[in-house]
Every structure is written in structure tokens, then in C-alpha cells.
Amino acid sequence: MRWDGISEFVYVAEYESFTRAAKELGISTAQVSRQVSALEKRLNIKLLYRTTRKVTLTEEGRVFYQHCRSVLDGLDAAEQAVSNLQSKPQGRIKLTAPVTYGEQQLLPLVNDFMVQYPDIEVTAFLSNQKIDLVDGGYDLAIRIGKLSDSTMMAKKLSRRTNFVCAAPAYLKKYGTPYTLSELSEHNCLLGTRDYWHFIENNKKAGKERNMRVSGTVQYNSGHSLVDAALKGLGIVQLPDYYVQRHLASGALVSLLDNYREPEESIWAVYPHNRHLSPRIRLLVDYLTERLV
């Protein structure tokens, strides 16, 4: 009887809804409600605040939830450990990632991963929009930069650096900017935003700055912006995976290095109410080892 109502309580706490919890558990909402009520009665503690619009944890409920979540995770891990002794990693992974990063960096590694683990299936949706992982049924998201959603768990995979650069032909014709203020005199090749990120390194040392720039080109394609820069149309700011080989070959020249913003972290993000299953943990570890 000590296990009665535990799973139901944990799911209600995580989804903040009896209906959503019932759907995930594959039982009726009434059954979930009965089990949670019986659990509260057995413990003689109110675990949840219930209103017509929302379900939230009491202080006692938060403490009880943390322990229950750990117990259920441990049970799942124990079952999976036994299962892994008899079978290969298998199952489906549903993930999402930014479009270009997914195409260039992530999915080629995912393909290599699937060659190594042929019983694992992967569904990937590439989008530059922030997708709700729980509502979309996603196991994993790859996100870049600062994380704002505290309801998610995250593991750092790698990092990226943004470079400001231009072709030698452009710089020969229009000159080289050495300060941020000089960018107003140049044709800046824009992406989806009309500002660039920098770090002030003078009297305002270490201060982040978003600087508005303008130009004759605005594309929502990094590849097209690189092509425009290579053809001498202007100055561009893009992540390293777009421009590294062109910087190495001399086709592009790095500019304003003293103002370059710090590296941005690349994260594997997953819902807090989903501990990493062995196949997902396997993929995350695989990406961590290979992404640079």
C-alpha cells in the first residue's frame, strides 16, 4: 500500500493537472483523483492545492515530490538496467534543434549514432522557434545561448563563437572598422535581427552590448549571408560553423576581435519530469564527446 498513489501524485505535480496526468498514465481522471486523495489521507498531509484552473504543490507536497521523483527514477533505472542485460539499446527518440546547427553539426552525428545503434529510431524537427517539449512530446531539444526556462533540465554539449568578418576585397574598397562606432559607415549583412552582439572592452569593460546595424541585405539564411560576404557585399556576424573554413583559407577576415562576445553554450535540454532514458543518455553522451 505504501506505493499506492505515488505515481499518480508525481504525474499530477509535474503536469499541474489531473487530466494530463491521467492521460499520461492511461487511466481515468477520477482514478487519479481517488488515488491522490487516498495518499493524502494516509499521510495526513495536504500535498496539493486544487482550484478549477490550476493544481500546485503545497510546501509539504514539494518536499514529498522530490523524494518520490527520486524513488521512481531509481526504480525505472533499475528496471532498465536489468532490461539492458538482455537487449540492445532500442526505441524512439524525438528531438528538435535550430535549423542550420541541426543540418550542419547535429544530424550528421545523429546519423553516425544510428549506424552504431541500429535499433534506435530518431525523429528530428528542425526549427528556430522555441518549441514546447512537453506539449510536443519531445524527449530532447538542442538549444544555443542562455537558457531562460527553469522548468527544464540541461546538459552542456559544446559551445560556439560569433565572428564579425568580411572579404579582403570589401575591406580594400571600403576600409577596415576598428571600433563599433565605425560599423555605421559600413554595409552590414543582416540576418533575422537588426542588431549584433558585442562586449565593451574600454571604460565599460565586460558590458554586453546589442548594437543596431544596417545594410542592403537581410536574409534568414546563414549560408546566403556567407555567400554575400564572400562576394564582397559587406560585413557579417555569424557563428563559427558558418565561417571557420573561410577564415582559415583567408577568404574572410575576422574583424573587431577585441569586441567579440564570449562563447555561447550549446545545450541538450529535456523536461524535468522525464529522467533521461538509457537511449537518450547514450545519445547525449555521444554528442558531448564529438561536438567541439
Side-chain angles (χ1 to χ4, degrees):
M1 285 186 60
R2 295 185 69 186
W3 285 95
D4 290 349
I6 298 296
S7 294
E8 290 84 352
F9 163 68
V10 168
Y11 274 69
V12 171
E14 291 174 347
Y15 287 101
E16 298 181 345
S17 165
F18 281 86
T19 302
R20 289 282 302 277
K23 182 178 179 181
E24 290 296 319
L25 290 166
I27 59 179
S28 70
T29 304
Q31 185 176 349
V32 172
S33 181
R34 281 195 301 270
Q35 290 283 55
V36 173
S37 295
L39 176 63
E40 289 180 313
K41 184 176 180 180
R42 189 167 77 247
L43 296 172
N44 195 28
I45 294 173
K46 186 176 183 63
L47 299 172
L48 299 164
Y49 293 120
R50 302 163 174 83
T51 69
T52 56
R53 299 180 61 184
K54 193 174 182 181
V55 178
T56 56
L57 288 166
T58 65
E59 182 61 33
E60 294 81 1
R62 276 193 289 272
V63 173
F64 192 62
Y65 163 76
Q66 291 170 357
H67 288 280
C68 290
R69 178 73 270 177
S70 297
V71 169
L72 291 181
D73 285 349
L75 180 60
D76 287 343
E79 292 177 351
Q80 191 63 51
V82 174
S83 177
N84 286 346
L85 294 176
Q86 303 178 9
S87 63
K88 298 178 182 178
Q90 59 182 315
R92 179 178 293 275
I93 299 173
K94 186 177 180 181
L95 64 86
T96 181
V99 177
T100 301
Y101 188 81
E103 289 177 341
Q104 290 193 3
Q105 306 291 312
L106 180 71
L107 292 188
L109 288 176
V110 171
N111 292 336
D112 293 339
F113 174 81
M114 292 176 69
V115 170
Q116 189 169 340
Y117 301 99
D119 293 326
I120 293 179
E121 303 175 20
V122 177
T123 298
F125 178 70
L126 301 184
S127 172
N128 293 329
Q129 303 299 316
K130 186 176 180 181
I131 294 174
D132 189 307
L133 302 190
V134 175
D135 285 347
Y138 287 90
D139 301 298
L140 196 64
I142 306 302
R143 290 182 176 161
I144 300 173
K146 295 180 181 178
L147 299 178
S148 58
D149 194 339
S150 61
T151 65
M152 296 289 154
M153 302 296 290
K155 180 178 180 180
K156 186 176 178 180
L157 296 177
S158 184
R159 57 192 181 276
R160 76 171 187 182
T161 303
N162 284 324
F163 285 88
V164 174
C165 48
Y170 174 88
L171 299 176
K172 183 177 180 179
K173 185 174 182 179
Y174 296 103
T176 300
Y178 294 99
T179 64
L180 298 186
S181 61
E182 292 178 73
L183 285 176
S184 62
E185 303 168 12
H186 288 270
N187 193 44
C188 296
L189 310 176
L190 302 179
T192 55
R193 300 176 299 197
D194 61 353
Y195 60 89
W196 289 351
H197 296 293
F198 295 101
I199 291 291
E200 294 275 13
N201 290 308
N202 43 38
K203 295 180 181 179
K204 299 178 181 179
K207 183 178 179 181
E208 295 184 20
R209 179 176 177 185
N210 292 333
M211 182 171 182
R212 292 196 176 277
V213 293
S214 61
T216 59
V217 166
Q218 185 163 16
Y219 300 147
N220 67 342
S221 164
H223 292 297
S224 299
L225 289 171
V226 170
D227 184 69
L230 290 169
K231 292 174 179 175
L233 291 180
I235 299 174
V236 72
Q237 185 183 61
L238 284 170
D240 45 19
Y241 47 83
Y242 283 106
V243 299
Q244 254 174 347
R245 66 187 180 95
H246 301 302
L247 292 172
S249 70
L252 292 176
V253 176
S254 181
L255 307 171
L256 301 170
D257 292 346
N258 290 336
Y259 298 93
R260 186 181 303 150
E261 63 177 339
E263 295 175 331
E264 291 183 304
S265 296
I266 298 171
W267 306 89
V269 178
Y270 54 96
H272 73 94
N273 59 336
R274 296 182 192 175
H275 71 288
L276 285 183
S277 69
R279 63 180 177 275
I280 299 172
R281 187 179 301 279
L282 201 62
L283 175 58
V284 170
D285 291 343
Y286 187 92
L287 295 174
T288 303
E289 292 174 2
R290 289 160 177 80
L291 287 170
V292 293

